[in-house]
Amino acid sequence: MCRWMAYSGEPLLAEDLLFRPPHSLIDQSLHAQLGETTTNGDGFGIGWYGEGSRPAVFKNIEPAWNDRNLREIASQIRTPLFFAHVRASTGTEVQRSNCHPFRHGQWLWMHNGALRGFHATKRDLMTAVDPALFADIEGSTDSELLFFLALTFGLTDDPFGAVARAIGLVEDVSRAHAITSPVQMTVATTDGDSMWFFRYASKGPSRSLFYSIDSSALRAFGADVGVWGRRTVEIRFVVSEPLGDLPGVWSAVPESSAGVVGPGGGEIRPFEPSPP
């Protein structure tokens, strides 16, 4: 499986977000504590917003902890909205096009988990993608295909509904192939202004996911590691694992839930698949 983090708030250096916290994503790439695998070394990717509405991405198939270029560019990227992902492949090739986050237009998407039985359902799911979008699929992962299904079902207008319909389709197709418990996911997606996140499994516990809930506690945590302690703008994180142990900073996203963080605040609501 994988580990990821999403940040929204005061523009910060990517270096401070990726490397400084005691249990940073770079540390998690080697020493994940809550993931299915301890090491997440099958590539990495970062996505961020700067000039214009279209995000930039940087990806590599090297392990995140061993990429000098990542450290170089992270010291120069200052952004108010940042996605980062370290990958542990569930079977698809280790190649750049399979590294997260995935991008389409102004949207980014990243995923931890798997679609069980994907080899059997892949054709049916691929043919459900809008033909106008199909040619933009670059890789071979279930994660990217899930992104394009969400786009097909209206992600740009209704993220909550689009993801619910995409997951509903996956479960319908899986039942037709006699595949049980097909979906295991935590997902983050953004249009550059707001970011949405999802935690869901067809059966059983889903992968870990946490969000920052108390700005004052988060600032204390940031001050403790010398980063964002004196900032005044609202700052939010959504992470696969807490970035540190300071009490009062992190809360688990409930099972079968979805949330949004944006200029108007944030909310968490129940999530369940719906008919496509």
Side-chain angles (χ1 to χ4, degrees), residues 257-274:
S257 294
V260 61
V261 172
E267 67 165 312
I268 292 181
R269 60 170 75 173
F271 174 84
E272 63 180 24
S274 64

Side-chain angles (χ1 to χ4, degrees), residues 99-144:
C99 293
H100 310 222
F102 303 103
R103 176 180 61 189
H104 189 270
Q106 70 188 64
W107 286 79
L108 292 174
W109 172 283
M110 56 187 177
H111 168 235
N112 173 37
L115 302 184
R116 186 167 178 262
F118 182 58
H119 182 75
T121 61
K122 183 177 180 179
R123 181 182 181 279
D124 290 349
L125 296 176
M126 292 283 278
T127 58
V129 173
D130 184 336
L133 297 169
F134 187 85
D136 293 331
I137 298 175
E138 296 182 350
S140 57
T141 64
D142 51 358
S143 301
E144 186 183 20

